[in-house]
Amino acid sequence: MKTKKLLSVLLAALMVSAVVTSCGGDEGTSSSAEGSTASTASTAEASGSESSGEETPVEIKITRPLFFGDASENLELKEQWMQMVEEKYGVKVSVNYLPRNEYTQKINLLMTSDSVEGLVGVFSTNEILNYKDMGVIEPINTYLENNETWKSMPEDMQNLYLFDGELWGLPAGYASNLFTRTVRKDWLDNLNMEVPTNLDELYDMAYAFTYNDPDGNGVDDTYGLTASGTWNLQDIFQAFGARLDSSGSGSIAYDPIENCWVDSMLKPEMVDCLTYLNKMYEEGLLDPELFTNSGSNMREKFWSGEYGSTYYWLGFSGESTPYLTKITPDVEFAEIPYLTGNIDHDINCAWYSTVPYVMVADTPDADKMVQEFVDLALGSQESHFDFAYGIEGTTYRVEGNTVYTLVDEATDTPMTTPSLTTYIPAYYDDFTFLTDGLSEEEEQTAIDLLNFKKSVVADGLESGGIFRLTELTTTPFSDTYLMIQADITTAFETAVSSAITGTAEPQAAVDKYLSEVKALGGQDVLDEANEAAGLTGTLSY
């Protein structure tokens, strides 16, 4: 029971800044786009929109995954929530809850076949730009020109998806996200070692975790770093000054030192980085399956006590606690926001994450729908929590300045939520988010984790070790990139994996990559991305 409760604590704590990115799920039914729902009366006045009582009521149509779990889960709860919103706010909301594992494929089909209307949830800026270029979505800035709720949001949030002077995406929340390196602090203590701060110390830690029996069981069964591709090695690339993109899956990235878009493969530091990683690989300090591991494989290797470190979401130490306390009750973790190496400032990046929506082109009453949604999802603390956490008294409760996610008695886990919006600073900064029914000690654990997550970004920005990415520096705005991204990614993965595993010399692997990407049109990608961001490039193929 305690292990389940601890997991609940940490899952609830992580919900504050989470963005829907998980995979998998079952097939299920959906409402709205695949089966029409009757429209009922709503009033713009009830949601705060400026309108007269004479206006035709509008039905807010939303398509997205993971609405109270996956498509086939919690069907009764899904319907209860939509009924609750209509009764409480006088607004009809129909959610088309598609299965997560087929979501992108289904949305693309619905978009291109003109079979969906309203607000559609997406996962990335690239999707927004693709749909914009295809002409299947429309800008929404004119709909929000006089919306007081929208104008009260942070300016950066209002401009997040502003392209070519028009707003093409609606961010329903505004949270800071960051990756950090999580390490076994109890292993370091057992070895009388300090938490690493630079590349040399990271190597020493990985070596000691692999060969010096950090768990003290007398068995040679522990290792240094696990990873699922380069995603979980980003801090090493960053410290060398050979940074990767915001997803850690490619070398075309914004470089704050150069203050422009670069391909880090053009920098000599990349060869040094790949040589360092190859040394770790050859000495058994780095997971030999890093290029075949899935994310779940990587997490399991850390949670099983086999590996002592990985690079993952901020707060991963909290998510890991309930797993590793089964093995080591006194387990402790440290999270390293960034490592120094060739550079000592602007090393790791933080970015704003959200639940982004687009408006399907030619949707009837699109203006009213956008305004109603903004006024409900963002307009008041009460309605915002309903859109984020569900039904007050059923899936969550508010007590003072604490929001409690209620526990499902059947499973002893937190109730699922609608997750139609996420963090809004004005509503979250003074609140604590917990799971209901925790002991005083468990509540303090969750509060400490929340406070830690809030402080890491703030402290890192103040110290200069962390910088913020904007949309113009998160994804290269380049038509050429959209066309050749898959080929560039393949060339990058081939070069990096061959260099790290030793099937090619690092310099030879980099040279082969550069030749391929130059032929694909890599220079056009850099030139277009820099021009869009108003920057001047410094590197060329």
Side-chain angles (χ1 to χ4, degrees):
M1 177 68 75
K2 184 174 182 181
T3 298
K4 288 183 179 179
K5 283 189 174 181
L6 279 171
L7 177 58
S8 300
V9 175
L10 303 162
L11 289 173
L14 292 171
M15 281 174 62
V16 177
S17 61
V19 173
V20 180
T21 54
S22 58
C23 298
D26 302 322
E27 279 282 359
T29 59
S30 60
S31 65
S32 189
E34 293 183 353
S36 61
T37 326
S39 180
T40 58
S42 67
T43 63
E45 183 181 357
S47 67
S49 296
E50 297 180 9
S51 67
S52 70
E54 307 262 333
E55 291 190 4
T56 304
V58 63
E59 175 183 354
I60 303 175
K61 297 180 180 180
I62 301 172
T63 302
R64 69 169 291 103
L66 300 179
F67 171 69
F68 287 105
D70 215 340
S72 62
E73 300 171 344
N74 306 300
L75 299 180
E76 184 177 348
L77 197 55
K78 298 178 199 291
E79 294 302 320
Q80 286 178 354
W81 183 87
M82 287 185 273
Q83 182 178 353
M84 178 274 294
V85 170
E86 184 175 356
E87 293 175 353
K88 186 173 182 178
Y89 300 104
V91 177
K92 175 75 173 179
V93 178
S94 297
V95 182
N96 182 25
Y97 38 88
L98 299 180
R100 172 62 184 94
N101 64 332
E102 296 181 346
Y103 184 75
T104 300
Q105 178 184 357
K106 283 180 175 288
I107 284 299
N108 286 337
L109 180 61
L110 291 171
M111 286 284 205
T112 55
S113 62
D114 196 26
S115 301
V116 65
E117 292 181 343
L119 294 162
V120 173
V122 296
F123 296 127
S124 70
T125 303
N126 271 340
E127 287 178 278
I128 296 175
L129 293 174
N130 279 333
Y131 290 141
K132 170 181 175 290
D133 290 345
M134 291 166 60
V136 296
I137 62 173
E138 62 184 48
I140 59 175
N141 46 292
T142 57
Y143 303 153
L144 295 170
E145 285 177 345
N146 298 314
N147 185 281
E148 295 302 321
T149 296
W150 181 247
K151 291 193 291 185
S152 72
M153 294 296 110
E155 184 177 355
D156 285 349
M157 178 177 172
Q158 295 182 50
N159 296 331
L160 195 60
Y161 299 116
L162 194 68
F163 310 124
D164 300 326
E166 295 185 297
L167 186 67
W168 289 91
L170 176 64
Y174 202 51
S176 287
N177 260 340
L178 184 74
F179 294 119
T180 61
R181 177 161 294 280
T182 299
V183 302
R184 288 288 298 271
K185 176 68 163 53
D186 55 320
W187 284 11
L188 288 169
D189 291 343
N190 291 343
L191 297 168
N192 295 314
M193 298 181 73
E194 298 295 326
V195 175
T197 61
N198 57 51
L199 289 167
D200 290 339
E201 292 171 357
L202 181 72
Y203 170 85
D204 292 341
M205 181 197 76
Y207 191 94
F209 280 3
T210 305
Y211 294 110
N212 294 353
D213 191 24
D215 59 359
N217 68 354
V219 181
D220 185 17
D221 59 353
T222 59
Y223 305 92
L225 280 55
T226 185
S228 174
T230 52
W231 180 29
N232 311 114
L233 300 171
Q234 290 179 67
D235 57 333
I236 295 174
F237 286 89
Q238 291 166 354
F240 271 98
R243 67 187 66 247
L244 304 183
D245 60 28
S246 59
S247 64
S249 59
S251 55
I252 293 182
Y254 171 74
D255 188 326
I257 307 297
E258 303 278 349
N259 190 30
C260 65
W261 282 90
V262 304
D263 188 334
S264 293
M265 288 288 198
L266 290 164
K267 305 183 73 172
E269 291 85 355
M270 179 60 77
V271 173
D272 297 337
C273 179
L274 295 175
T275 301
Y276 174 95
L277 289 168
N278 171 251
K279 177 178 173 65
M280 278 193 163
Y281 183 91
E282 294 291 343
E283 294 180 357
L285 319 185
L286 183 59
D287 190 343
E289 298 176 325
L290 81 156
F291 292 112
T292 57
N293 282 335
S294 64
S296 59
N297 292 146
M298 177 277 296
R299 292 190 296 272
E300 180 57 36
K301 288 181 176 184
F302 186 75
W303 289 340
S304 68
E306 185 180 5
Y307 283 84
S309 179
T310 194
Y311 185 79
Y312 204 53
W313 294 101
L314 172 63
F316 184 58
S317 58
E319 187 179 347
S320 301
T321 297
Y323 296 95
L324 280 159
T325 48
K326 297 176 185 177
I327 304 169
T328 309
D330 297 325
V331 66
E332 288 186 56
F333 303 97
E335 291 193 37
I336 307 168
Y338 53 86
L339 296 167
T340 60
N342 291 347
I343 58 175
D344 60 5
H345 65 93
D346 292 327
I347 305 169
N348 196 3
C349 59
W351 65 97
Y352 291 115
S353 62
T354 181
V355 179
Y357 294 91
V358 293
M359 173 53 73
V360 178
D362 301 321
T363 293
D365 293 320
D367 56 341
K368 298 177 185 177
M369 197 179 299
V370 169
Q371 291 194 56
E372 292 274 20
F373 177 79
V374 166
D375 286 336
L376 283 172
L378 310 178
S380 75
Q381 182 178 289
E382 181 179 6
S383 62
H384 173 76
F385 285 162
D386 284 343
F387 272 60
Y389 291 99
I391 305 171
E392 188 168 5
T394 300
T395 62
Y396 82 98
R397 67 183 179 89
V398 180
E399 183 178 314
N401 280 36
T402 302
V403 177
Y404 292 92
T405 299
L406 301 183
V407 175
D408 186 336
E409 294 181 0
T411 61
D412 196 35
T413 58
M415 298 288 289
T416 57
T417 64
S419 303
L420 295 173
T421 181
T422 187
Y423 182 99
I424 298 292
Y427 305 146
Y428 283 74
D429 286 351
D430 296 328
F431 275 79
T432 299
F433 297 83
L434 301 172
T435 298
D436 201 23
L438 303 174
S439 69
E440 187 175 329
E441 179 182 355
E442 290 167 339
E443 282 201 1
Q444 191 58 54
T445 298
I447 291 170
D448 289 344
L449 179 61
L450 285 169
N451 290 336
F452 167 74
K453 291 173 66 177
K454 289 179 181 179
S455 69
V456 166
V457 176
D459 292 347
L461 291 170
E462 184 177 354
S463 70
I466 294 174
F467 68 98
R468 265 199 203 285
L469 286 173
T470 65
E471 286 304 296
L472 288 171
T473 56
T474 300
T475 301
F477 293 141
S478 160
D479 291 338
T480 304
Y481 183 72
L482 294 176
M483 293 186 292
I484 65 175
Q485 180 181 6
D487 292 330
I488 292 178
T489 300
T490 298
F492 171 79
E493 291 173 348
T494 301
V496 169
S497 61
S498 64
I500 293 176
T501 60
T503 59
E505 291 295 323
Q507 186 64 63
V510 168
D511 290 344
K512 184 174 185 293
Y513 165 91
L514 292 175
S515 175
E516 292 174 352
V517 173
K518 181 178 181 180
L520 286 168
Q523 191 61 52
D524 290 337
V525 173
L526 296 185
D527 292 344
E528 291 167 10
N530 280 313
E531 181 180 0
L535 304 172
T536 302
T538 60
L539 300 178
S540 58
Y541 293 90

